[in-house]
Amino acid sequence: MRELDSTRVTPLPVVATEARSRGLWRDALRRLAGNRLAMAGAAFVLLTAAAAAFAPLIDRYPPNRQDTTASFEGPSARHWLGTDQLGRDQYSRLVNGARVSLSVGILTQIVAVSLGLAVGLAAGLGFRTLDNLLMRFTDVVYAFPDLLFVILLVSVFREAVAGSATRTLVVIFVAIGLVAWPNIARLVRGQILSLRQQEFVQAAEALGASRLRVALVHLLPNTLGPVIVTATFGIPAAIFAEAGLAFIGLGLPPPTPSWGRLVADGYDAITSHANLVLAPALAIAALMMAFTFLGDGLRDALDPRLATPKPRVRVLPATRVRVRVQRRWRKAA
Amino acid sequence: MARTMMKGVKFWALLALLALAILGMAACGQGDKDEGNGVPQVLRARIAGDPETLDPQKAGFATDISIMRQLFRGLVYFDQDLNVVAAAAEEVPSVENGGISVDGLTYNFELRDGLEWSDGSPLTAYDWEYSLKRFFDPTLGGNQYYQSFYYVIEGAQEYNTALGTPDQPRTPTESELVSLRDGVGVDAVDDDTLQIRLNTASNTFLYLMSLWPGYPVKHEAIDSLGDAWTEAGSLVSDGPFMLTEWAHDQRLVLERNPYYWGPEPGLERLELLVIPDETTAFQAYQNGELDFTVAPPAELQSLKTNPEFHAEAQLSTFGLLFNTAQKPFDDPVIRKAFARAIDRQAYIDLVVQGLGMPTTGWIPPGMPGFDPEAGQALSFDPDAAHSLLADAGYPEGRGLPDIVLTTVSEDIGRLSAEFVQEQLKQNLGVNVAIETLDLPSFQMRFGSGEFQMTFLGWNGDYPHPENWIRDLFYTGASANMAGYSNTRVDALIDQAAAEKDPLAAADLYKETQRIILDEDGVLAPIFHGISAFLVKPYVGGLVFTATDGEVRGDVFLASPGISIAAH
Amino acid sequence: MTAYLIRRLLWLVPVLLFVAAITFVLMHSVPGGPWDRDKPLPPAAVEQLNRKYGLERPLWEQFGRYLLGLLQGDLGVSYRHSDRPVTEVIGGGIKVSATLGGLAMLVAAAVGVPLGIVAALRRNRALDYLSVSLATLGASTPNFVLGIVLIVIFASTFHLLPTIGWGSWKQAIMPVLALSALPTAFLARITRASTLDVLQQDYVRTAWAKGLSVRAVVLRHVARNALIPVLTLAGPLAAALVTGSFIIESQFAIPGVGRAFVTAIFGRDYGVIMGVTLFYALVVATANLAVDLAYAAADPRIRYR
């Protein structure tokens, strides 16, 4: 009989697979490479990242330059995606906006993953009181309405950082990251708790390894898979959140473009100049889909039950040890 | 084997699609209501948010004012040319008819006969006495913004400030408060006569009496219901409409008040729908759910040729305000350099899409004191701007401290800020940062003078230059956030207030404007507003004025001439 | 089990307390106050208003009084709505948001779950790619963009549906659709992943081998197990929907509680901010508890200490 305490069990497979030294990751990579959708997704993500990185080289006008004679022009040879109300070239703003959007996506997840790993790990170490405390703390943060809490957090610090795009960005990263970490913490904790019940862990501890060491060396690497997948899905969610914030007026200070800002700006002109809102919305959609396919692919790739590894167990403290465990489902009647 | 399963799923999917299709068809079956016996005279308009309060002595927001204008009438009101005309009073008091004493300090208002509240009970001068005294009650709460406008009334200021200031609070006893209240110079001589005594003669007092603090409220309602008296069903008013429904955050419905003393409004019913999003309101208008709405600037290019489009000049001015108490704007040369770097015509073209009048003057056309030559020293001239900046000691902007343009995050604030930022960069070579704040944060910073540059948009509360000059530029005036102080201006303002001849007074205001703009460059006016809206062709008779509130045409929505044709 | 249930319910109290405390501190840290409005108030007026509502007292005292009031069911008054009680201001909104969210959840479940199962059954074939892509596309557009596109098409252009308001089923169609796009895609994906998991289990293979029809296999063996993980995530999802998507509510002029929350933040209406946050926290906690209980009911291997 499995026993669960009040923490939610994650829906992702709780399995540790064995591997020869680096074989697991190489296997996963191979599987990922074979997944066409995922590869397409990865390609698009890389494309966007490249566009963001080289934006000043590939844009056609300075993104904030206003052409007072060219308000609301449609797509043309001069302005590939048209111009906005202040005569700014949409294509250039789109390409430069990728920087902010991607950074929001990635940096929020870095915050969330760091916090989530730390808390989840500490909770999973096996000390009851610490676990309880941390999980209750996670419950509290988890109970807050996500976007509403972000709005509250951003509102607190906004006035202090207003005027500076960088500092406002930091506030936004941290705010979104702060609502995203509980999921990861629970995930990590759940994985670690299940794994700790395996023999190899008992063995390692019997050999004198401290709990922390066991956790860091043996268990943490096994949680990375699902964490990476969760983070991959979190990136587009963060970009959405940024768009939402821009929409209600809590985004970056003007005139910095971001895809969310472009959507919010173009929104008012949707009837007569739909191109202004469609271009960034499609860009966000495409990036979302790319990350989704990539995330799906990563999950499939890291799911070892789809592979056929050879079982081998080595029990040495300094080596990463993975043991193959199969979950037994009840037999259907 | 999977195929059987698929068949099952496909079946349900088809069923779902069919259901959706049926729903869709049913949705278009619904035509407009009421064809046949007479077209219902109903007008549907939009408000951006639920009113905060409909209590005339407490309200201050534009939405609240628009609605109260339909529910209440004061002793006097405006006509379409913004002159004061009689409303609940029999006639406008003047020296000729004895309504105003020769020294200008005593006003006697004779009420019409047979005035009634919307619940049928009689409305008397005692109700006005109660309402006006209540306005100055220091424990009233509410907006507390307009009270100081009315301090010209004897005893008003003493009563209103009876609780002292945060630094020097006072705690008057109950009886002291009562006697202060009695000392306010508003008395009902009898049921039909209200007498108001002033501290000094005033040219603008009658204007003030036509505004909402002069609307009467029924004290029995307030005594028994407290703040809840403004809900539908209990709100008692004296104007052309009464409040029959108020679904909070959704809509208000106003219907004709059968007890109104004046001509019956053309409209039977006014529905005010709460629609926070302006784009949605525009779509709702397109879909026939609203009968008129504001034209969104982003759509103006395509709407200008639409027959449903109307534009109306407003008594408003919008400009860039410099905080003279903060570096670097303590130097008038720098202020003027910045002002000259702004291409106002480009602003009109881009930010308001052609709907506005570029200007360098503050007092708008249509107001006494308007001067087409005002502010010439601030007109657009990049070369002059550059040389002014160099004269101030910052050639090409080198050495200037960091400058931040502070504004509210709503659309026009943000767009204007982006425009000005780019103009300053292109025409002056100066980089300013923009901070967009939400309204309370902005008010906090603005109120405490913690800003360098911001925008100031001013709509007249009443059509008199006093409202435009004194309240903003007099040393220490409540709305003087720019820290501006010029004794010559103060002297001129005092002189103009005492001046009996309106033409001479107008000249005095022109002179103050010249000093404020051309000499001191406290603000850089950019444009006078033109309001753009769409009206369905079946709505006739709407009257728009330059002082309309949030709902356009609200000043005369009770006009008998409004009619709704079949549609 | 009962002991577990009681323990969980008891834990609600400190959790809610902390949520309240954190919200209280945060909202008072937002610069500007309820009296910073359209036009600057004279300082005497501000002082007086603060005294009237007890805002000049130290924070801990204000919080204590708030808690006391909470115990008596008094959530304070709304500064922006002429002192109407907070319970009244958000009460109506809660019903509206709950209906909106509930409908969106229903649509998401009715469309997303079968879609996920079908996609899993036809794995890596055209139908799988198509359904996943479709679902993901719907979820990839920010919901307010989806909303305005729906409005422009179905209202302003073809005059089929009303844009604004809430009350008739016609008014509900577009906001529910816009709101359900993301949850549908989410549920479809989770269901697909979890169904794939289950399909590989030995007992399912046994069922195929026994010659059971597809429907029997799916309904009797696969669905129940596949849906467990789905339930896990559906709980918080439903909670999120129920408490109102403020963007959709603002867009479609729906008087819900999400919109009330955002208006309250921008107006520094402290009573409403606290009320909505506490309500949400309660809903999430309850949803989590319900999911855990359902989990236990579905999987008899799980026993709660």
Side-chain angles (χ1 to χ4, degrees), chain A residues 7-244:
Chain A
T7 310
R8 185 152 345 290
V9 167
T10 81
L12 292 159
V14 178
V15 173
T17 38
E18 80 69 37
R20 285 165 258 133
S21 315
R22 291 182 294 277
L24 172 68
W25 298 99
R26 215 181 286 156
D27 267 347
L29 220 58
R30 216 181 309 134
R31 271 197 296 274
L32 187 65
N35 182 338
R36 270 177 297 186
L37 268 184
M39 283 292 101
F44 189 80
V45 171
L46 286 171
L47 183 68
T48 311
F54 297 110
L57 296 176
I58 58 174
D59 65 16
R60 304 180 72 223
Y61 298 83
N64 300 323
R65 164 75 53 85
Q66 297 166 12
D67 181 350
T68 56
T69 63
S71 174
F72 279 137
E73 277 187 12
S76 67
R78 268 207 318 158
H79 296 284
W80 289 348
L81 291 175
T83 61
D84 67 4
Q85 182 165 359
L86 294 180
R88 295 177 292 202
D89 180 49
Q90 273 298 81
Y91 164 75
S92 306
R93 283 177 75 76
L94 190 69
V95 148
N96 279 279
R99 291 186 163 183
V100 170
S101 298
L102 269 182
S103 10
V104 167
I106 294 173
L107 287 165
T108 50
Q109 294 311 301
I110 290 183
V111 171
V113 168
S114 319
L115 282 173
L117 277 178
V119 172
L121 194 65
L125 282 180
F127 303 113
R128 277 285 295 276
T129 22
L130 185 62
D131 182 17
N132 253 336
L133 213 64
L134 285 174
M135 277 303 105
R136 293 294 82 82
F137 176 55
T138 311
D139 279 346
V140 169
V141 180
Y142 199 64
F144 278 99
D146 282 355
L147 202 49
L148 306 187
F149 190 54
V150 171
I151 292 173
L152 198 52
L153 275 174
V154 172
S155 301
V156 171
F157 294 103
R158 213 160 160 274
E159 193 254 338
V161 300
S164 160
T166 345
R167 281 185 290 174
T168 311
L169 260 183
V170 169
V171 167
I172 294 181
F173 298 154
V174 170
I176 299 180
L178 280 178
V179 301
W181 72 258
N183 265 330
I184 296 186
R186 287 170 165 227
L187 184 61
V188 169
R189 177 183 175 279
Q191 297 272 60
I192 289 188
L193 279 183
S194 304
L195 288 173
R196 293 192 71 244
Q197 292 172 6
Q198 307 312 320
E199 289 105 2
F200 75 94
V201 173
Q202 323 276 13
E205 287 179 4
L207 285 168
S210 75
R211 287 197 191 187
L212 185 61
R213 186 183 165 73
V214 168
L216 282 174
V217 173
H218 301 274
L219 303 176
L220 196 56
N222 287 303
T223 65
L224 284 182
V227 167
I228 290 177
V229 174
T230 310
T232 313
F233 289 130
I235 292 178
I239 297 182
F240 262 28
E242 191 264 323

Side-chain angles (χ1 to χ4, degrees), chain B residues 57 328 480 489:
Chain B
Q57 280 83 37
N480 183 354
V489 169

Side-chain angles (χ1 to χ4, degrees), chain C residues 131-190:
Chain C
S131 33
V132 168
S133 304
L134 213 62
T136 313
L137 186 66
S140 301
T141 332
N143 57 9
F144 57 93
V145 174
L146 202 56
I148 194 69
V149 167
L150 284 173
I151 290 179
V152 170
I153 296 178
F154 290 103
S156 356
T157 317
F158 293 115
H159 306 296
L160 289 172
L161 293 172
T163 318
I164 54 175
W166 185 255
S168 76
W169 59 268
K170 265 193 272 176
Q171 288 167 315
I173 293 180
M174 287 195 292
V176 167
L177 278 179
L179 199 52
S180 61
L182 185 65
T184 306
F186 185 64
L187 282 181
R189 222 153 12 94
I190 303 283

Side-chain angles (χ1 to χ4, degrees), chain C residues 28-62:
Chain C
H28 279 278
S29 316
V30 183
W35 323 122
D36 289 307
R37 297 167 157 175
D38 255 8
K39 303 179 177 170
L41 289 183
V46 174
E47 163 79 10
Q48 198 199 96
L49 285 166
N50 282 340
R51 246 182 290 157
K52 176 175 173 192
Y53 295 104
L55 289 175
E56 87 287 13
R57 300 185 204 207
L59 272 189
W60 58 262
E61 191 187 323
Q62 287 188 48

Side-chain angles (χ1 to χ4, degrees), chain C:
Chain C
M1 188 57 155
T2 337
Y4 173 74
L5 190 59
I6 295 186
R7 247 197 19 243
R8 281 295 295 271
L9 285 173
L10 284 178
W11 264 117
L12 266 181
V13 176
V15 166
L16 287 179
L17 199 65
F18 265 101
V19 169
I22 294 178
T23 311
F24 196 81
V25 169
L26 276 180
M27 77 183 183
H28 279 278
S29 316
V30 183
W35 323 122
D36 289 307
R37 297 167 157 175
D38 255 8
K39 303 179 177 170
L41 289 183
V46 174
E47 163 79 10
Q48 198 199 96
L49 285 166
N50 282 340
R51 246 182 290 157
K52 176 175 173 192
Y53 295 104
L55 289 175
E56 87 287 13
R57 300 185 204 207
L59 272 189
W60 58 262
E61 191 187 323
Q62 287 188 48
F63 186 57
R65 299 169 131 252
Y66 181 79
L67 287 180
L68 276 172
L70 196 58
L71 286 174
Q72 297 161 0
D74 173 17
L75 290 173
V77 297
S78 164
Y79 307 139
R80 285 273 161 171
H81 291 93
S82 36
D83 291 355
R84 278 167 62 219
V86 170
T87 33
E88 197 188 302
V89 171
I90 66 179
I94 287 175
K95 266 185 283 176
V96 171
S97 292
T99 317
L100 177 62
L103 284 174
M105 193 62 201
L106 228 71
V107 169
V111 175
V113 170
L115 200 61
I117 294 181
V118 164
L121 286 171
R122 301 305 244 178
R123 184 188 177 168
N124 285 337
R125 306 262 273 286
L127 195 54
D128 179 17
Y129 285 148
L130 191 64
S131 33
V132 168
S133 304
L134 213 62
T136 313
L137 186 66
S140 301
T141 332
N143 57 9
F144 57 93
V145 174
L146 202 56
I148 194 69
V149 167
L150 284 173
I151 290 179
V152 170
I153 296 178
F154 290 103
S156 356
T157 317
F158 293 115
H159 306 296
L160 289 172
L161 293 172
T163 318
I164 54 175
W166 185 255
S168 76
W169 59 268
K170 265 193 272 176
Q171 288 167 315
I173 293 180
M174 287 195 292
V176 167
L177 278 179
L179 199 52
S180 61
L182 185 65
T184 306
F186 185 64
L187 282 181
R189 222 153 12 94
I190 303 283
T191 312
R192 174 184 174 276
S194 131
T195 311
L196 280 177
D197 268 359
V198 168
L199 280 177
Q200 282 159 11
Q201 296 309 316
D202 294 339
Y203 67 91
V204 174
R205 299 226 190 98
T206 315
W208 294 132
K210 278 203 285 186
L212 288 177
S213 75
V214 174
R215 173 182 299 175
V217 174
V218 169
L219 289 181
R220 254 193 274 161
H221 303 295
V222 173
R224 203 149 19 136
N225 290 309
L227 287 180
I228 294 171
V230 178
L231 267 182
T232 308
L233 293 164
L237 183 64
L241 283 177
V242 159
T243 50
S245 162
F246 68 89
I247 289 184
I248 295 289
E249 286 175 14
S250 301
Q251 193 172 47
F252 288 92
I254 295 175
V257 85
R259 185 176 111 190
F261 183 86
V262 176
T263 312
I265 291 200
F266 285 133
R268 312 292 189 264
D269 200 349
Y270 298 140
V272 175
I273 297 176
M274 288 295 290
V276 176
T277 310
L278 282 174
F279 165 66
Y280 184 94
L282 193 61
V283 170
V284 169
T286 316
N288 283 346
L289 183 57
V291 168
D292 280 345
L293 291 177
Y295 209 102
D299 187 349
R301 291 176 304 137
I302 297 170
R303 223 179 247 287
Y304 291 123
R305 282 183 265 117

